[in-house]
């Protein structure tokens, strides 16, 4: 009995933990519907199935070349690199560098290229609507003496190609333009931009975190030199991504971190095999189901917009209506404060912009860049639709949104003035 006592105590402790968790979950309120697929996506269960063996049984270091444990892990890592990630974007597997995510990939591409070619070229071009990690990387380069041009975009969010071409200088080394914007879903003409860059002898980097796995991507056809990929934006695991670096014509970049020389010396550090396998599985599933997912997401997005706009006046869709990824719907509800609406819609997980800047009370810099008035920028909500979104969730979100916007407008003196036919822009407000 004394021998069995520790096992009995451990069993009772485990049972107590299970009962406590069951009691806690049964007392908790239902979780909100998830409609924020641009911030992150839930992991596809098939991705988890692919990863689990490499979390438990096949745990070797993929860079260990002297025994079977390392060979197994290396084989899985290279399979993910070649047949899954590379194939999805039309790349050579030797051009895929595993990273911790799109933020690291963006930093590597922008800082790495600029610093490698700095003796001859010290000018970089980007747009005002890029992700914060791209803009902050460019600001770091400015502090090092580089010249950076932040191009404005048109009111529909698209880049003016003539302005882009006119901005290229003899000392321009790199242009960085996001493929699909994370806040308004606008799809930039990367193929046309690639042609301009190739004709001018300038490298093109694109942050494709919101595009890879959702729309067809072909780095050769687009003439892209560097591309950033994120695992958790395409139903894969968090903490892993990739950077595509073209081999011919060759792109050189200075590594951000040094060490064992893994990943062709560009990104030292042990590649986490389970995460690499997960990214590969997510890319493989995306390639197989992309057309179906795109059609279904487009249908759900149209359903959401049609339901809301048919019941509510003064609703503005931000970004181009055609050149966009359908799963990112950004709407401004005039005469309603966005944060108040988010609070009213607490049973639906939504956001008013990028997750990386959601703690800020400032209006979205992306919306300001496309010329949106500050009051409308403050009233915007981003609806993210994805692979696991259902029609019932779309209908519930639309109905809830219609109800709460109508309620908040009834409380707004501005809405009352508009209903009385008063032009708010004609009013001269005074400060006390």
């Amino acid at each position: 009995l004394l021998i069995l006592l520790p096992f009995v105590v451990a069993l009772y402790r485990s049972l107590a933990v299970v009962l406590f968790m069951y009691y806690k979950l049964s007392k908790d309120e239902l979780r909100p519907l998830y409609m924020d697929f641009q911030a992150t996506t839930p992991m596809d269960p098939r991705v988890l199935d692919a990863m689990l063996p490499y979390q438990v049984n096949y745990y070797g270091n993929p860079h260990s070349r002297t025994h079977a444990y390392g060979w197994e892990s290396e084989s899985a890592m290279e399979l993910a690199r070649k047949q899954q990630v590379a194939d999805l974007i039309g790349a050579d597997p030797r051009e895929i560098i595993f990273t911790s995510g799109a933020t690291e990939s963006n930093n590597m591409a922008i800082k790495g290229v600029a610093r490698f070619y700095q003796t001859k070229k010290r000018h970089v071009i980007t747009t005002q609507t890029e992700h914060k990690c791209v803009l902050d990387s460019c600001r770091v380069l400015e502090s090092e003496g580089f010249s950076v041009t932040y191009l404005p975009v048109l009111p529909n969010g698209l880049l003016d190609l003539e302005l882009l071409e006119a901005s290229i200088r003899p000392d321009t080394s790199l242009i960085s333009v996001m493929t699909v914007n994370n806040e308004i879903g606008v799809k930039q003409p990367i193929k046309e931009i690639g042609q301009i860059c190739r004709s001018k002898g300038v490298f093109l980097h694109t942050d494709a975190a919101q595009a890879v796995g959702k729309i067809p991507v072909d780095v050769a056809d687009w003439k892209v030199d560097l591309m950033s990929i994120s695992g958790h934006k395409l139903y894969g695991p968090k903490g892993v991504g990739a950077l595509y670096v073209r081999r011919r014509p060759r792109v050189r970049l200075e590594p951000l971190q040094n060490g064992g020389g893994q990943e062709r010396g560009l990104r030292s550090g042990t590649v986490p095999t389970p995460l690499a396998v997960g990214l590969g599985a997510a890319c493989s599933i995306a390639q197989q189901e992309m057309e179906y997912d795109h059609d279904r997401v487009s249908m759900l997005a149209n359903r959401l917009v049609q339901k809301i706009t048919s019941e509510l006046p003064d609703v503005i869709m931000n970004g181009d209506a055609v050149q966009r990824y359908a799963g990112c719907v950004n709407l401004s509800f005039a005469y309603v404060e966005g944060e108040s609406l988010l609070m009213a819609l607490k049973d639906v997980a939504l956001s008013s912009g990028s997750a990386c800047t959601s703690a800020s009370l400032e209006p979205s810099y992306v919306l300001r860049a496309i010329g949106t008035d500050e009051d409308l920028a403050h009233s915007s909500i981003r609806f993210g639709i994805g692979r696991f979104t259902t029609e019932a969730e779309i209908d519930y979100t639309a109905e809830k949104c219609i109800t709460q916007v109508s309620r908040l407008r009834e409380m707004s003196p501005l809405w009352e003035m508009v209903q009385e036919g008063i032009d708010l822009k004609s009013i001269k407000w005074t400060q006390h």
Side-chain angles (χ1 to χ4, degrees):
L1 288 175
L2 290 175
I3 295 173
L4 292 175
L5 184 60
F7 298 101
V8 174
V9 171
L11 178 64
Y12 271 103
R13 282 179 176 170
S14 300
L15 183 61
V17 170
V18 170
L19 289 173
F20 172 78
M21 292 303 297
Y22 174 78
Y23 174 81
K24 186 176 186 301
L25 289 172
S26 65
K27 290 293 183 181
D28 285 347
E29 295 181 4
L30 292 174
R31 299 182 75 193
L33 304 181
Y34 190 73
M35 294 281 288
D36 199 15
F37 278 78
Q38 272 64 55
T40 193
T41 59
M43 190 189 297
D44 192 299
R46 293 167 290 183
V47 172
L48 182 60
D49 288 343
M51 292 173 61
L52 279 176
Y54 298 93
Q55 296 277 23
V56 181
N57 294 328
Y58 307 112
Y59 46 79
N61 187 318
H63 312 294
S64 297
R65 302 294 176 84
T66 57
H67 51 71
Y69 289 89
W71 303 335
E72 291 166 346
S73 294
E74 183 187 27
S75 176
M77 178 183 73
E78 293 305 324
L79 176 68
R81 190 194 309 272
K82 178 181 184 299
Q83 294 184 9
Q84 296 169 327
V85 181
D87 284 357
L88 180 61
I89 63 172
D92 184 297
R94 292 170 293 181
E95 298 173 319
I96 301 299
I97 307 300
F98 285 118
T99 67
S100 63
T103 291
E104 182 185 355
S105 298
N106 288 337
N107 274 263
M108 281 178 62
I110 294 166
K111 295 174 183 174
V113 168
R115 289 169 179 168
F116 189 90
Y117 295 97
Q118 64 182 322
T119 56
K120 295 181 180 179
K121 297 185 174 185
R122 297 184 62 82
H123 179 230
V124 173
I125 298 174
T126 189
T127 76
Q128 295 175 2
T129 56
E130 295 299 305
H131 190 275
K132 194 173 187 296
C133 67
V134 170
L135 298 176
D136 281 0
S137 294
C138 289
R139 291 189 183 100
V140 168
L141 292 179
E142 285 185 294
S143 71
E144 297 174 5
F146 288 86
S147 174
V148 180
T149 299
Y150 300 92
L151 293 177
V153 293
L154 299 169
N156 62 0
L158 294 172
L159 183 58
D160 183 339
L161 297 185
E162 291 183 0
L163 176 62
L164 172 66
E165 190 165 5
S167 302
I168 297 174
R169 306 186 330 205
D171 66 336
T172 303
S173 61
L174 179 72
I175 294 175
S176 181
V177 179
M178 187 185 291
T179 308
V180 171
N181 189 271
N182 58 309
E183 289 195 33
I184 58 178
V186 166
K187 192 162 52 176
Q188 297 289 353
I190 298 298
K191 184 176 180 178
E192 289 77 4
I193 295 172
Q195 292 171 345
I196 293 171
C197 291
R198 190 62 58 84
S199 68
K200 299 286 186 179
V202 177
F203 293 127
L204 172 61
H205 164 255
T206 184
D207 175 0
Q210 299 287 349
V212 171
K214 299 173 184 176
I215 63 172
V217 171
D218 188 329
V219 290
D221 184 48
W222 289 6
K223 294 181 172 55
V224 168
D225 299 296
L226 303 110
M227 176 179 285
S228 300
I229 301 170
S230 173
H232 75 102
K233 299 295 171 71
L234 55 104
Y235 310 94
K238 294 173 178 62
V240 67
L243 177 64
Y244 160 78
V245 182
R246 183 180 292 281
R247 296 183 78 241
R248 291 187 178 88
R250 190 179 184 187
V251 183
R252 306 289 297 275
L253 57 154
E254 188 177 296
L256 293 184
Q257 62 189 49
N258 307 102
Q262 292 90 342
E263 298 300 281
R264 291 171 44 210
L266 297 178
R267 205 273 186 180
S268 291
T270 302
V271 174
T273 306
L275 296 181
V277 168
L279 176 61
C283 288
S284 178
I285 294 167
Q287 189 165 25
Q288 296 167 23
E289 303 183 0
M290 188 184 302
E291 185 177 353
Y292 173 81
D293 279 353
H294 189 273
D295 291 345
R296 186 170 175 279
V297 166
S298 298
M299 178 273 291
L300 293 174
N302 291 335
R303 185 185 184 102
L304 176 71
V305 173
Q306 192 276 329
K307 279 181 173 290
I308 291 175
T309 55
S310 65
E311 294 289 332
L312 292 174
D314 299 309
V315 177
I316 299 96
M317 177 181 280
N318 296 303
D320 192 88
V322 178
Q323 294 298 321
R324 66 183 303 108
Y325 169 63
C328 182
V329 178
N330 192 303
L331 301 177
S332 289
F333 299 89
Y335 319 112
V336 172
E337 214 288 318
E339 297 302 321
S340 300
L341 182 54
L342 282 177
M343 291 294 291
L345 297 171
K346 62 181 182 297
D347 50 353
V348 182
L350 297 163
S351 74
S352 56
S354 169
C356 300
T357 56
S358 61
S360 172
L361 295 178
E362 292 296 314
S364 161
Y365 66 85
V366 173
L367 295 181
R368 297 304 303 274
I370 64 175
T372 304
D373 292 338
E374 186 164 342
D375 54 343
L376 276 178
H378 270 298
S379 71
S380 70
I381 299 293
R382 183 183 66 180
F383 300 84
I385 302 167
R387 180 180 294 166
F388 303 114
T389 307
T390 65
E391 291 185 23
E393 289 175 327
I394 291 291
D395 292 343
Y396 179 85
T397 301
E399 290 163 10
K400 190 82 173 179
C401 190
I402 292 165
T403 301
Q404 294 302 329
V405 169
S406 300
R407 182 182 68 84
L408 291 170
R409 281 178 173 173
E410 289 299 319
M411 299 165 58
S412 169
L414 296 178
W415 176 250
E416 185 178 346
M417 293 167 71
V418 170
Q419 297 305 106
E420 293 174 357
I422 300 173
D423 182 5
L424 297 182
K425 292 184 178 179
S426 66
I427 298 175
K428 294 182 179 179
W429 304 98
T430 58
Q431 292 183 336
H432 297 282

